[in-house]
Amino acid sequence: MRHTVAGGRRVGAIVFLLCCPIAAAVSSEFVSVDRDNIVLARERPELDALGIPAGGFRIYPSLTVGTIYDTNVFDRATGTGDGFLQIGPKITVQSGWSQNFLRFTGDAEIERFARIHSENNERYGVDALARVDVTHNMVVELDALFGRRAETRGSSGDVVAGSRPIIFYDAGGHISLTTTAGAVTAKGRLDLDDYRYNDAQVGNQFFSQRYRDHRATTALVELNFPLTPAISAVTSASFNDSSYTNTLPGLAPLDSNGFTTLAGVRFGVSSVTTGQITAGYLRQSYRAAVFPTIEGVNYDARIVWNPTTLLAVTATANRSIEPSPIANVAGIVADGAGAKADYEVLRNLLVNLRADYLREAYRGSDRRDRRVSAGAGVRYMINRTLQLGVQYDFRDQTSRGAGARPYRGSDVLLQLTVQR
């Protein structure tokens, strides 16, 4: 339930979105990433929100209210606990056309703490996403977004001890083209993001975060071609560039560019076991000679096991290079692994268990972090209008080196969602 960089504490950790399938000839942004998870992908039309008709569109409003108690609000070695209220309004407007698709989304998260009022904050975002069915075998997607976000407590981006939550803004979007030629599927995608950071505030003092302002560009090409009815070969290459607009006096710029390659297999053994396993190479080079080039083995894997129609187990592992939020650190090599289980007790009652591991190596520094987290939750879909959730999460980070930040904490959430 701790918030993520992309948008707030994990308010929706237990409110799994049961995405309605949208017809498309090829793989699309609109297809749920949990499509292989038999529990989450199962259609439950009697429990889905009906929405409000508006011409060729439907409007889906919702409001989520949660009460949370966190034993270590700041994620520091000495924990300070507090409870808070979290309010999350959301509205989605999407087309109901037989061809092409258009969706607008707006959401917000408002947090109000019982005692630690300096943690009170508001986050919001808007997003417009379109799919154009050029032909039966070709789909173009365009997306534009803007968001006011907050750095995660305890993450690498939470860099100023004792500060209020560090606020930043993300404006950007993507364009992608997916096409099939015979049995081969090809995809190209271009992502653009512009990040701007507010100053960190500690009491009446302000610490500039402008050195973190940057523009990030990523281009991806991916190919998928079948080898047998159950196995496909997949390969991808991505290229990225990060351009920083401000540099602190006396410190090296953080500008960088790099690429990643991956190759492997996508498989489906009936509907019981599906997944993708790839490995390759990654490299990130920095404009400043003082920062070493980061390079090495790359990997990404996701396996879903559905032993029964009521149980799904998902395992993931991946490596990435994250941009540094620290002025004298080039980048962060992040290795993550996780597992979760989703079980359908009743058609309208789902439970989940999860465990995650993250290792972060700060290049240009001797800091090393290892974080273990685990959680369990219940989602009760009372009817089309009401959903109730309960979630418990635990986290433990060991840390060494310059700026080390060990901590341990847990939180519990009770959440009610009203939807139309």
Side-chain angles (χ1 to χ4, degrees), residues 56-134:
F57 292 81
R58 295 194 81 85
I59 303 172
Y60 297 90
S62 67
L63 177 66
T64 299
V65 179
T67 57
I68 305 171
Y69 183 80
D70 194 317
T71 63
N72 191 349
V73 171
F74 300 107
D75 277 343
R76 295 289 175 180
T78 301
T80 301
D82 197 9
F84 59 97
L85 177 69
Q86 193 172 63
I87 302 172
K90 181 178 182 180
I91 186 167
T92 299
V93 181
Q94 68 182 42
S95 65
W97 309 326
S98 59
Q99 191 175 18
N100 304 321
F101 186 83
L102 188 60
R103 182 177 70 203
F104 302 95
T105 303
D107 57 20
E109 289 180 357
I110 303 165
E111 292 182 348
R112 291 296 181 266
F113 282 71
R115 294 186 299 106
I116 310 175
H117 301 306
S118 62
E119 284 296 283
N120 293 348
N121 70 92
E122 303 81 34
R123 301 179 296 277
Y124 56 80
V126 291
D127 182 274
L129 186 63
R131 186 195 73 221
V132 180
D133 300 326
V134 181

Side-chain angles (χ1 to χ4, degrees), residues 56 66 91 141 162 180 214 227 247 303 361 370:
I91 186 167
E141 292 176 0
T180 58
H214 67 282
L227 302 175
T247 301
I303 300 173
R370 288 181 173 82

Side-chain angles (χ1 to χ4, degrees), residues 4-7 143 145-151 157 166-174 189 191-199 209-218 240-246 254 321-325:
T4 65
V5 168
D143 174 66
L145 61 88
F146 176 80
R148 183 183 194 265
R149 313 302 188 192
E151 287 286 9
I166 297 175
I167 301 298
F168 68 96
Y169 300 88
D170 177 13
H174 80 260
R189 175 169 170 144
D191 287 86
L192 302 171
D193 285 281
D194 188 88
Y195 298 95
R196 292 291 180 267
Y197 288 79
N198 283 357
D199 293 345
Q209 299 294 295
R210 293 182 64 234
Y211 71 91
R212 299 170 64 182
D213 295 351
H214 67 282
R215 297 183 181 92
T217 304
T218 303
N240 69 82
D241 180 84
S242 293
S243 177
Y244 285 75
T245 54
N246 304 294
L254 295 172
I321 300 176
E322 303 298 328
S324 171

Side-chain angles (χ1 to χ4, degrees), residues 114-312:
R115 294 186 299 106
I116 310 175
H117 301 306
S118 62
E119 284 296 283
N120 293 348
N121 70 92
E122 303 81 34
R123 301 179 296 277
Y124 56 80
V126 291
D127 182 274
L129 186 63
R131 186 195 73 221
V132 180
D133 300 326
V134 181
T135 68
H136 180 71
N137 294 322
M138 183 180 295
V139 170
V140 174
E141 292 176 0
L142 302 101
D143 174 66
L145 61 88
F146 176 80
R148 183 183 194 265
R149 313 302 188 192
E151 287 286 9
T152 309
R153 286 302 190 193
S155 72
S156 59
D158 185 22
V159 293
V160 181
S163 75
R164 291 174 176 267
I166 297 175
I167 301 298
F168 68 96
Y169 300 88
D170 177 13
H174 80 260
I175 181 171
S176 69
L177 170 66
T178 307
T179 184
T180 58
V184 178
T185 299
K187 179 176 182 178
R189 175 169 170 144
L190 177 66
D191 287 86
L192 302 171
D193 285 281
D194 188 88
Y195 298 95
R196 292 291 180 267
Y197 288 79
N198 283 357
D199 293 345
Q201 181 180 355
V202 182
N204 294 322
Q205 291 185 302
F206 293 86
F207 299 86
S208 176
Q209 299 294 295
R210 293 182 64 234
Y211 71 91
R212 299 170 64 182
D213 295 351
H214 67 282
R215 297 183 181 92
T217 304
T218 303
L220 168 74
V221 177
E222 182 180 87
L223 294 174
N224 182 345
F225 47 96
L227 302 175
T228 72
I231 299 176
S232 294
V234 293
T235 183
S236 67
S238 68
F239 306 86
N240 69 82
D241 180 84
S242 293
S243 177
Y244 285 75
T245 54
N246 304 294
T247 301
L248 291 178
L251 293 177
L254 295 172
D255 302 66
S256 70
N257 59 74
F259 66 90
T260 66
T261 61
L262 287 168
V265 295
R266 181 174 296 165
F267 55 88
V269 183
S270 67
S271 61
V272 176
T273 304
T274 59
Q276 179 171 307
I277 299 175
T278 56
Y281 177 80
L282 54 73
R283 178 186 174 91
Q284 197 74 16
S285 300
Y286 297 85
R287 192 179 83 185
V290 67
F291 294 138
T293 296
I294 301 174
E295 58 185 332
V297 174
N298 189 23
Y299 59 89
D300 186 76
R302 180 177 182 271
I303 300 173
V304 181
W305 178 45
N306 299 293
T308 76
T309 58
L310 302 178
L311 175 64

